[in-house]
Amino acid sequence: GQQLNQSPQSMFIQEGEDVSMNCTSSSIFNTWLWYKQDPGEGPVLLIALYKAGELTSNGRLTAQFGITRKDSFLNISASIPSDVGIYFCAGRPYSGGGADGLTFGKGTHLIIQP
Amino acid sequence: DAGVIQSPRHEVTEMGQEVTLRCKPISGHDYLFWYRQTMMRGLELLIYFNNNVPIDDSGMPEDRFSAKMPNASFSTLKIQPSEPRDSAVYFCASSLFGEKLFFGSGTQLSVL
């Protein structure tokens, strides 16, 4: 199946810092989604991207669909304590026409140091 | 609008027992997915339905796992008999046209 490499695996940051994470795939994707999971809850959709080069914001979050179609990036500006959680990328391969083409990365654990 | 509703939130059972997980998708959504999440393997797709019909169950680990969707508002995932290695968080998700997935809060399953 498709492989998604998400990095970094974990991040230890100070409150107020900016955060960057990314996902890369071995093949071309036509959809990228970013989710956040809080402890004891299911993943919640943050941003959806559908076009190469697309840049979309949701508050302090900004995500980009890489121009190569094989990667996506998520940035969080001025982090706050409630940003703590696990961030997942998910993508659908260009050749995948069905819902089963959605593949998830392993997640980036964001930890804010006091 | 209520989101995806899963029950129970937590299930503790003994090896060999039957386990049934339940899901109510978002009204109007035509796709329903069952995922399993573990530390080692992350989120794995087990099976998904479109308009109540199972489309792909290739992710179901063994014959001990079965899923049904008798109508548009209800689905079950059953494990019989359960084993300790089935311990994980099981998520149900629904979507419209298979695009953005909306997840439930999950069922934390512990098989002793």
Side-chain angles (χ1 to χ4, degrees):
Chain A
Q2 299 295 329
Q3 295 289 328
L4 272 187
N5 295 312
Q6 186 171 351
S7 65
Q9 187 173 10
S10 59
M11 299 185 71
F12 296 81
I13 63 166
Q14 301 279 349
E15 183 177 351
E17 288 185 9
D18 295 343
V19 173
S20 293
M21 61 190 76
N22 68 82
C23 258
T24 59
S25 67
S26 55
S27 57
I28 294 173
F29 275 35
N30 66 6
T31 302
W32 284 100
L33 306 171
W34 284 93
Y35 287 84
K36 182 194 177 201
Q37 185 176 22
D38 290 325
E41 297 296 330
V44 174
L45 181 65
L46 299 173
I47 294 176
L49 304 161
Y50 299 104
K51 296 180 182 179
E54 180 180 355
L55 188 70
T56 299
S57 293
N58 178 4
R60 293 178 295 104
L61 278 62
T62 301
Q64 184 167 22
F65 193 136
I67 58 174
T68 67
R69 297 178 179 265
K70 292 185 177 182
D71 53 11
S72 180
F73 310 88
L74 177 68
N75 296 314
I76 305 172
S77 62
S79 58
I80 59 177
S82 61
D83 291 334
V84 167
I86 305 175
Y87 292 81
F88 291 97
C89 62
R92 179 169 291 117
Y94 188 73
S95 60
D100 60 341
L102 195 62
T103 301
F104 280 81
K106 291 292 180 67
T108 294
H109 293 242
L110 180 60
I111 300 162
I112 296 183
Q113 294 176 317
Chain B
D1 182 24
V4 176
I5 300 173
Q6 291 186 246
S7 65
R9 287 297 308 270
H10 304 274
E11 178 79 34
V12 180
T13 190
E14 293 186 346
M15 183 174 62
Q17 296 298 307
E18 177 179 296
V19 174
T20 300
L21 311 180
R22 297 173 175 80
C23 174
K24 177 179 169 56
I26 293 173
S27 177
H29 280 189
D30 56 350
Y31 280 83
L32 183 140
F33 306 81
W34 282 100
Y35 281 85
R36 177 171 66 178
Q37 185 177 39
T38 61
M39 289 292 291
M40 291 297 295
R41 302 173 70 88
L43 277 163
E44 301 176 278
L45 177 64
L46 301 177
I47 185 172
Y48 78 95
F49 297 81
N50 177 219
N51 292 322
N52 314 337
V53 177
I55 303 300
D56 184 357
D57 65 353
S58 59
M60 297 284 262
E62 300 171 29
D63 291 344
R64 299 183 296 106
F65 285 69
S66 63
K68 294 182 180 180
M69 192 166 185
N71 57 62
S73 59
F74 184 66
S75 177
T76 59
L77 178 67
K78 185 176 294 186
I79 308 173
Q80 166 63 21
S82 58
E83 297 182 1
R85 60 193 167 122
D86 301 331
S87 297
V89 182
Y90 290 81
F91 287 105
C92 175
S94 70
S95 76
L96 190 59
F97 308 135
E99 291 291 328
K100 305 171 187 177
L101 271 63
F102 294 86
F103 286 80
S105 297
T107 295
Q108 174 76 58
L109 174 64
S110 298
V111 183
L112 306 177

